[in-house]
Amino acid sequence: MTDYRIGIDVGGTNTDAVVMDGDDNLLAKTKTPTTEDITSGILSALDVVLDDSGVSEDELDYVMLGTTHATNAITERRGLNEVGVIRIGAPATQSIRPLLEWPDDLAAAIGNNVAILDGGHEFDGRLLNDLDEEQVRAQIREFADVDAFAVTSVFSPVRDDHETRVAELIREEVGDDVPISVSNEIGSVGLLERENATALNAALTSVASEAANAFVEAMDERGIDANLYFGQNDGTLMSVDYAIRYPIFTVASGPSNSVRGAAYLSAVENGIIVDVGGTTTDVGAVTEGFPRESSVAVEIGEVKTNFRMPDIIAIGIGGGSIVSTDDGVTVGPQSVGYKLTEEAKCFGGETLTATDLEVAAGTIDIGSETPDVDAEIVEAAREYVRERVEREVDRMKTSAEPVPVVIVGGGSILVPDDIAGASEVHKPDHYEVANAVGVAIAQVSGEVDRIYSLDEMDREEAIQHAKDEATDNALAAGADADSVDIVDVEEVPLSYLPGNAVRIKVKAAGALDH
Amino acid sequence: MTVEIGVEEIEDIALGATVLGTGGGGDPHVGKLVAKQAIEEFGPVELLPPDELDADDFVIPTAQMGAPTVSVEKLPGGQEAVASMERIERELGKTADATMPIECGGINSTFPFAVAARRGLPVVDADGMGRAFPELQHETFNIYGVSGTPAAVSDERGNSCLIETDDNDQLEWLARGVTVRMGGVAYVSDYPMTGAQVKETAIPGTMSLARDLGRALRLAEDDAMSAIREVTRESIYGEARSLFEGKIVDVQRRTERGFVFGHVDIDGLDSDEGSTMRIEFQNENLGATVDGSYVATVPDLITVLDRETGGPIPTESLRYGARVRVLGIRTPEIMRTPAALDVWGPASFGLDATYEPLADHP
């Protein structure tokens, strides 16, 4: 079996694609401009790498895609579902209604249908209030016109009974066609943030299913009969069905793909990854080959959420960054972005960019002309970039120990090879398409993040329960049963609560199911 | 002139309270949203200077107490603190003329505004901690002889518990136990007092100080330090001074008895290069040393700011690599008397230090 696979990563500026064989050798790569209708950019990238690699359409087994559909839909408030947001927790929680802190236009875009109904649990799993099934049914009927439901119950990460039951009642009342998002499958403790993430997920299911259908059709047209996977923001893959149910997990999958790809290309399993793009540089951390997660609430479209997101710091420096000499020499955050080939001096434009400096210094050779730039300015700009990158690398570290640093992305040339605080600096081959490599080599994963009361079961039992559930989630996402391993177990005792509460996070990952 | 607190002022108070919270006091986010929704529903709240209280006016402070993990999940129903207040009113046969915060840092700086909006009462511009502290006896009300009881603790289901004790340490002990049984978070009314007692024992002006600090930080372009200095200069607190600038090189934390203990080490930058600051904390920042010698201790305020954005950093968010500026603010006279230092001086938190009031900005 050849196992040819294509990895495609859609970024704000470029769509990158690679073809890899079953031994993860890279056969072809390309960088093409991202198009407004994302699909046509993907198809042209696909055509280029197929052509270059000599692999034919019918030899492809897998196509992996990292996209920005979901992120764009939230930012642009486009194509979002009208959502029935149901919270189970009364008489508690009524002092802060759902969507209270959402931007008005985003809340309006999902229809502003909110309800707080009886039910929920305490932190130790005791009942907070009974679920009132007649009240739930009446509310569902009142939300008759919504496109999707988002259900969040108090302490559902401890006990999901009420969310599960409400989902059953929705099925009974409105049938099988309306998507339902339940919060315990999306986020962790922190009701508002978990509810926000669940409502956003419910709002995105139509966008996700349209995007997925468009790709499946495009593949069919090209005569490609391959398995299609989507990249998710923990650096692993999910099946098309899974992606349609959990579109929120595709948000920020791009930086995660870069972290995975950089780790793979450099063979650095633990360290700091610097991905230099056209407009920004993303600094992230890799732990045992996977992106480190952020420990604080992350905002999506100005809404606070608490589901797992990669720990990434973005700084406004990239190949298209505008160089200013007004007040000392500075680089960015203004950028010519995707207009580099029109506006940068090396392409005959009027704007001095970071790329122009390197062309002037002779380190790269692109464009139509060599800008005339004072060597002192080049030196000062390089120092500026070095300082900013060094500072963010330092912030991503967890201690003063020097760690390996891997530099990838199209603008890698801007960052010097000797970075303070780095034990070694790697600029691996194929650095410019690390994100597409990252999605092409990705595994399929499942996660669990729950609170257990060790009064009810012992510690081993609780961890085994979490491991089993994480494995089931990985299988549901499309992993091969024989290859699934537990890759991470994290245990946080919640010692300020009685009842021996402990929060257990487990991640399982495996190869793609054949 | 009547000062009204609307939605925008609540935002400012919540931000200012992160400076006065000295790293603790709980996430002000939930308290802020509860107050915002109540004000949207019931209208703005009057902020009443304590010297406008009549001697026999009746004031009942209100607060939330409990575990942070629970308070971000089981959000308040909204009636709990009102129920606690009404239980005390029934007990004493008097109706409250105002409510008041028991602390001016973190969640409890904004929470009483929700109670006030629902009841149509003013909030007294004062509190009993002048910052954030961990326990209910850490109150000027306690220090200067106000009984914490009768106190009432309520939950969202309408359960209430009335507490009568001889001393205020017992109040803390019993109320903490009831809070656990109520699911880890509960809503308390305690230290019911007269207008005369408020004037004698409360720290005046702390709510308007939090609001002014928040507004100054919101409007400060890039010089948070000057903004904070300007506001504190006009207050009964000392003028904020910069104690240290540097980079966090180590953070140690451990959880014991429901509190987070630990310390953070900061290596100096620029004029502090070559020196190291250590800040010890128990939920809130307690003491700061430079190269082993104390430069600030409780009850004075020690607040860590992000060196670039000027945003205050709570202790749970301190992490390796952050560039910070540490500022110190001397607390008012009423918080520094021998009686006050017995309750919250360095020794009461196990620090081997003698309290020296911080000087103003040099």
Side-chain angles (χ1 to χ4, degrees):
Chain A
M1 187 160 180
T2 48
D3 259 10
Y4 288 120
R5 52 181 71 186
I6 286 194
I8 304 169
D9 184 89
V10 183
T13 316
N14 287 309
T15 296
D16 300 347
V18 296
V19 178
M20 299 180 88
D21 67 16
D23 300 319
D24 288 342
N25 297 308
L26 189 146
L27 306 179
K29 58 185 173 184
T30 185
K31 248 181 166 18
T32 58
T34 296
T35 50
E36 193 161 344
D37 106 63
I38 293 171
T39 311
S40 66
I42 290 172
L43 287 176
S44 52
L46 189 84
D47 292 341
V48 172
V49 282
L50 282 180
D51 207 34
D52 287 356
S53 63
V55 173
S56 72
E57 281 84 351
D58 53 10
E59 287 177 293
L60 278 179
D61 294 305
Y62 302 104
V63 176
M64 290 91 158
L65 195 61
T67 91
T68 51
H69 277 91
T71 318
N72 293 351
I74 296 171
T75 322
E76 297 163 18
R77 283 87 165 110
R78 190 164 39 82
L80 299 176
N81 287 329
E82 187 155 323
V83 180
V85 182
I86 295 180
R87 184 197 293 168
I88 305 297
T93 81
Q94 289 166 314
S95 62
I96 306 176
R97 67 173 183 275
L99 315 185
L100 176 66
E101 39 173 352
W102 284 40
D104 290 344
D105 59 339
L106 187 56
I110 72 159
N112 254 325
N113 310 292
V114 303
I116 305 175
L117 308 179
D118 292 355
H121 291 85
E122 302 281 5
F123 69 89
D124 53 5
R126 280 181 300 142
L127 196 65
L128 168 63
N129 194 7
D130 287 314
L131 192 68
D132 178 345
E133 299 203 355
E134 279 317 304
Q135 186 194 32
V136 175
R137 285 183 193 276
Q139 188 62 59
I140 296 166
R141 289 194 285 270
E142 199 171 303
F143 285 161
D145 296 332
V146 301
D147 309 309
F149 284 90
V151 184
T152 306
S153 165
V154 171
F155 276 114
S156 66
V158 178
R159 285 194 72 151
D160 58 11
D161 317 20
H162 285 180
E163 286 184 0
T164 307
R165 183 61 191 145
V166 171
E168 286 168 7
L169 294 173
I170 294 172
R171 285 275 161 267
E172 286 176 25
E173 291 291 331
V174 302
D176 292 335
D177 296 337
V178 178
I180 304 168
S181 302
V182 290
S183 81
N184 72 84
E185 295 179 353
I186 307 239
S188 184
V189 173
L191 183 82
L192 293 172
E193 291 82 2
R194 187 172 77 252
E195 179 177 75
N196 288 344
T198 308
L200 285 174
N201 189 70
L204 288 167
T205 52
S206 294
V207 169
S209 104
E210 276 164 30
N213 289 338
F215 297 137
V216 170
E217 276 170 30
M219 296 299 143
D220 283 350
E221 265 172 43
R222 288 287 195 283
I224 297 172
D225 178 26
N227 294 305
L228 186 59
Y229 287 89
F230 284 87
Q232 48 178 341
N233 59 12
D234 64 350
T236 64
L237 298 172
M238 52 186 169
S239 63
V240 174
D241 290 346
Y242 198 87
I244 293 172
R245 286 187 64 193
Y246 303 104
I248 194 84
F249 291 148
T250 64
V251 171
S253 60
S256 294
N257 291 338
S258 293
V259 169
R260 284 278 292 159
Y264 172 74
L265 291 172
S266 62
V268 169
E269 290 272 289
N270 294 285
I272 306 293
I273 310 295
V274 181
D275 180 12
V276 193
T279 304
T280 59
T281 292
D282 291 336
V283 183
V286 59
T287 308
E288 303 302 333
F290 285 93
R292 186 172 76 207
E293 278 177 35
S294 173
S295 57
V296 296
V298 176
E299 286 196 2
I300 302 176
E302 297 173 64
V303 173
K304 263 186 154 182
T305 66
N306 71 348
F307 73 105
R308 54 100 204 281
M309 287 276 277
D311 193 0
I312 300 284
I313 302 173
I315 48 178
I317 292 178
S321 290
I322 296 171
V323 177
S324 159
T325 52
D326 294 344
D327 182 15
V329 176
T330 59
V331 182
Q334 279 74 38
S335 165
V336 297
Y338 65 92
K339 291 185 173 160
L340 185 74
T341 54
E342 294 162 37
E343 296 189 1
K345 288 198 168 184
C346 62
F347 289 96
E350 295 292 315
T351 310
L352 184 65
T353 67
T355 301
D356 294 317
L357 301 185
E358 296 301 332
V359 175
T363 47
I364 45 172
D365 179 22
I366 59 166
S368 50
E369 42 204 274
T370 306
D372 182 20
V373 188
D374 196 347
E376 278 174 21
I377 293 178
V378 174
E379 218 28 63
R382 282 177 172 170
E383 270 316 300
Y384 181 86
V385 172
R386 173 207 296 279
E387 261 177 43
R388 295 292 309 273
V389 171
E390 281 179 350
R391 193 187 317 166
E392 302 312 328
V393 165
D394 195 37
R395 277 163 69 128
M396 289 308 286
K397 289 162 65 174
T398 51
S399 78
E401 287 294 302
V403 293
V405 173
V406 185
I407 301 168
V408 295
S412 295
I413 188 74
L414 301 181
V415 179
D417 289 340
D418 51 333
I419 298 219
S423 57
E424 49 196 300
V425 174
H426 301 257
K427 283 186 184 170
D429 285 348
H430 313 307
Y431 62 86
E432 77 279 18
V433 288
N435 48 2
V437 171
V439 70
I441 55 136
Q443 293 183 304
V444 184
S445 77
E447 269 192 335
V448 164
D449 184 348
R450 278 191 183 286
I451 295 179
Y452 291 89
S453 169
L454 299 188
D455 282 354
E456 287 167 25
M457 57 173 90
D458 68 28
R459 183 173 161 274
E460 272 70 41
E461 242 179 298
I463 291 177
Q464 193 55 49
H465 183 273
K467 283 180 173 175
D468 291 347
E469 204 169 316
T471 305
D472 287 347
N473 289 347
L475 297 179
D480 170 37
D482 294 333
S483 71
V484 174
D485 279 326
I486 301 297
V487 294
D488 193 27
V489 178
E490 195 185 325
E491 201 185 338
V492 187
L494 303 176
S495 42
Y496 39 81
L497 290 177
N500 264 322
V502 60
R503 178 174 172 184
I504 298 175
K505 290 174 75 172
V506 176
K507 185 194 199 76
L512 295 166
D513 195 5
H514 288 281
Chain B
M1 195 189 77
T2 309
V3 177
E4 282 201 339
I5 300 298
V7 168
E8 187 171 298
E9 288 78 18
I10 288 295
E11 290 274 354
D12 287 342
I13 290 173
L15 179 57
T18 56
V19 175
L20 299 175
T22 69
D27 183 354
H29 193 64
V30 167
K32 178 177 90 178
L33 294 178
V34 170
K36 278 174 79 167
Q37 179 167 321
I39 287 171
E40 276 177 13
E41 196 174 337
F42 300 97
V45 171
E46 183 192 346
L47 188 63
L48 187 70
D51 56 16
E52 289 182 20
L53 281 167
D54 288 336
D56 57 354
D57 274 347
F58 183 42
V59 178
I60 306 180
T62 43
Q64 183 199 62
M65 66 185 293
T69 316
V70 178
S71 75
V72 298
E73 177 72 24
K74 191 175 72 165
L75 307 173
Q79 275 299 326
E80 302 92 334
V82 175
S84 288
M85 188 181 238
E86 287 170 354
R87 183 67 193 85
I88 292 179
E89 289 177 329
R90 270 208 312 283
E91 182 67 17
L92 296 177
K94 292 195 280 188
T95 307
D97 298 301
T99 186
M100 182 167 63
I102 62 167
E103 64 182 318
C104 63
I107 184 167
N108 279 326
S109 57
T110 45
F111 188 76
F113 288 91
V115 180
R118 283 173 179 275
R119 278 287 305 264
L121 295 175
V123 169
V124 180
D125 185 5
D127 78 294
M129 290 185 179
R131 46 172 288 157
F133 277 120
E135 299 181 25
L136 294 181
Q137 74 276 16
H138 292 135
E139 294 284 339
T140 46
F141 314 143
N142 171 40
I143 292 164
Y144 300 113
V146 179
S147 170
T149 65
V153 186
S154 302
D155 72 10
E156 63 286 335
R157 278 165 288 202
N159 301 315
S160 268
C161 185
L162 187 78
I163 298 178
E164 287 269 20
T165 58
D166 281 346
D167 73 71
N168 297 330
D169 288 5
Q170 281 298 307
L171 163 64
E172 158 66 28
W173 177 249
L174 294 176
R176 198 68 60 180
V178 172
T179 298
V180 168
R181 284 292 155 91
M182 286 181 166
V185 59
Y187 301 83
V188 61
S189 278
D190 55 1
Y191 295 100
M193 64 183 110
T194 62
Q197 284 175 306
V198 172
K199 289 181 201 182
E200 272 167 39
T201 68
I203 304 147
T206 49
M207 288 300 107
S208 46
L209 176 63
R211 177 201 58 198
D212 294 347
L213 281 171
R215 182 167 49 203
L217 279 175
R218 174 163 58 84
L219 298 176
E221 288 287 309
D222 49 6
D223 195 355
M225 191 63 211
S226 299
I228 293 172
R229 195 176 287 153
E230 203 167 304
V231 173
T232 48
R233 190 186 301 143
E234 305 298 324
S235 75
I236 59 171
Y237 290 64
E239 182 179 340
R241 55 179 295 158
S242 181
L243 297 176
F244 203 75
E245 281 184 86
K247 180 187 117 172
I248 295 179
V249 291
D250 191 32
V251 186
Q252 299 284 335
R253 292 187 183 90
R254 60 182 199 285
T255 308
E256 274 173 35
R257 297 186 288 116
F259 299 111
V260 181
F261 292 83
H263 66 253
V264 55
D265 288 339
I266 306 165
D267 272 359
L269 290 169
D270 296 342
S271 62
D272 292 311
E273 193 153 350
S275 292
T276 301
M277 171 173 272
R278 169 170 289 193
I279 302 175
E280 292 159 281
F281 51 81
Q282 174 188 340
N283 290 15
E284 286 81 33
N285 297 326
L286 300 176
T289 57
V290 171
D291 300 331
S293 308
Y294 278 100
V295 295
T297 68
V298 276
D300 285 351
L301 274 49
I302 300 162
T303 296
V304 182
L305 303 180
D306 183 302
R307 200 175 177 221
E308 270 170 50
T309 66
I313 309 177
T315 48
E316 68 262 24
S317 305
L318 296 170
R319 58 189 246 182
Y320 172 87
R323 267 67 176 171
V324 298
R325 181 199 290 272
V326 180
L327 65 87
I329 302 173
R330 187 183 64 244
T331 47
E333 182 63 33
I334 187 173
M335 298 176 63
R336 298 186 266 124
T337 63
L341 294 176
D342 272 352
V343 173
W344 56 41
S348 68
F349 288 99
L351 299 188
D352 184 18
T354 314
Y355 173 69
E356 290 284 346
L358 274 170
D360 281 340
H361 165 67

